Amino acid sequence: MTAGLQRATLIGGLVLVALFVLIAVFANLLAPYGFSQQSENGHAFPSLAGPSGDHLFGTTVGQLDVLSRVLFGARTALFVIVLALLFSIIVGVALGLVSGYVGGWVDRVLVLFMDAMYGFPSLLLAIVVSASLGAHLKGGFGGILSAAISITVVFVPQYFRLVRNATVSVKTEPFVDAARVTGASATRIMRKHIFVNVTSTLPVIVTLNCSEAILTLAGLGFLGLGIEPTAASEWGYDLNRALPDVTNGIWWTSVFPGVSIVLVVLGLTMVGESINEVTNPLLRTRRGGRRTGSTSANPAPTGGEEQR
């Protein structure tokens, strides 16, 4: 159960995440213009116009509506997050189960390969993969798929190490030995008996990885290695295009995409940390110990003390 500051943190994070998802899903209805629209009714949008009634967040140097770019950017981020985490969980969990259960040279090879990948800085690894896929995956969905695969490569070692270590511990349990005795195949044992017992901590990592995925996607877009600007709206790319504007005192082209990234990452991190505190027995024990210690340090006065 949650209480006090932890509950407020969880509720605040959930509100931000829910707002992000709703904006992403209903971007078509909320956005006043298309993400690449530069004119309406034959009239071109002004360049670098400040926030006004026609353009609540102003316009960019390319005559694009900033509000529409921000709203559609949420949809792009949600697509990439869902695909990246889905791919990461499928590949990482499957390889972790096989490595931990089979052992031997299969385990050694996979551990060596995953450790080598884990040793790379996450953004650098995503840049290398994105640059390699850029020539093969183009267009709207192709760009989103390329970004998702780039982030997947970063996350797979995390899920692999978590599931592999848990599998090594669980495979020696009596219920697994009983399944072997009854003649169950290795595939059935991993799927029916081990999988359920090694994936209980995945929700926490998934939530925290969502925020990392947002930052990685923004980093790729900022470096020009993300999604093509004509295919979809992306916050990192918009920040890159807004750099010259900042030196000229034009703030709206960079503030709104930047604030969007900060709020989404903040909300996802708050939810992830709150779930971690709830599900981690060690953290619960420490909190309980602090409450017990504070109670014993300030004992209730006895009857004699009250009379004095």
Side-chain angles (χ1 to χ4, degrees):
M1 297 296 291
T2 59
L5 180 60
Q6 182 186 352
R7 177 175 297 177
T9 301
L10 178 60
I11 293 175
L14 288 174
V15 169
L16 290 176
V17 172
L19 185 62
F20 162 63
V21 173
L22 288 174
I23 289 175
V25 172
F26 298 105
N28 280 337
L29 301 177
L30 297 174
Y33 310 104
F35 67 87
S36 60
Q37 185 176 345
Q38 297 175 302
S39 62
E40 186 180 34
N41 299 325
H43 299 285
F45 295 154
S47 177
L48 294 176
S52 62
D54 294 330
H55 303 280
L56 295 180
F57 286 4
T59 61
T60 68
V61 67
Q63 300 172 301
L64 301 174
D65 183 69
V66 176
L67 174 59
S68 301
R69 296 282 302 177
V70 168
L71 296 178
F72 279 103
R75 171 173 292 184
T76 302
L78 182 62
F79 281 159
V80 172
I81 288 175
V82 171
L83 289 176
L85 293 179
L86 184 62
F87 294 159
S88 301
I89 292 173
I90 292 175
V91 176
V93 171
L95 292 179
L97 282 171
V98 172
S99 179
Y101 185 79
V102 175
W105 67 268
V106 174
D107 182 45
R108 289 194 294 272
V109 171
L110 287 175
V111 168
L112 179 64
F113 183 71
M114 292 298 172
D115 285 347
M117 292 176 58
Y118 201 77
F120 276 90
S122 58
L123 182 58
L124 177 60
L125 183 59
I127 290 173
V128 172
V129 177
S130 180
S132 303
L133 295 175
H136 305 285
L137 296 176
K138 297 182 179 180
F141 183 74
I144 292 176
L145 184 60
S146 174
I149 293 175
S150 302
I151 298 172
T152 297
V153 174
V154 174
F155 289 161
V156 164
Q158 301 179 27
Y159 294 98
F160 169 83
R161 295 174 71 177
L162 174 70
V163 174
R164 183 258 176 195
N165 294 338
T167 302
V168 170
S169 301
V170 171
K171 73 176 183 179
T172 58
E173 294 293 330
F175 66 88
V176 177
D177 292 334
R180 291 196 194 97
V181 171
T182 58
S185 64
T187 303
R188 180 178 177 81
I189 292 174
M190 286 188 287
R191 187 179 71 252
K192 295 291 185 179
H193 301 281
I194 297 180
F195 175 78
V196 179
N197 291 280
V198 301
T199 56
S200 58
T201 58
L202 285 183
V204 178
I205 298 180
V206 167
T207 309
L208 294 175
N209 279 349
C210 285
S211 59
E212 186 178 351
I214 290 285
L215 294 175
T216 304
L217 176 63
L220 292 175
F222 187 82
L223 295 174
L225 296 172
I227 302 166
E228 295 181 13
T230 57
S233 174
E234 201 277 307
W235 292 332
Y237 173 82
D238 290 346
L239 284 177
N240 175 274
R241 297 294 296 172
L243 283 178
D245 302 336
V246 176
T247 58
N248 296 322
I250 300 170
W251 54 269
W252 54 87
T253 56
S254 59
V255 166
F256 294 114
V259 169
S260 301
I261 295 174
V262 170
L263 290 179
V264 173
V265 171
L266 177 63
L268 292 169
T269 303
M270 291 167 66
V271 172
E273 293 295 343
S274 298
I275 295 176
N276 189 32
E277 283 199 44
V278 172
T279 58
N280 193 324
L282 181 59
L283 294 178
R284 291 202 304 269
T285 302
R286 288 176 178 174
R287 287 200 309 273
R290 286 197 298 268
R291 287 196 295 267
T292 303
S294 62
T295 303
S296 59
N298 299 284
T302 61
E305 291 173 341
E306 290 177 346
Q307 291 177 357
R308 287 196 297 272

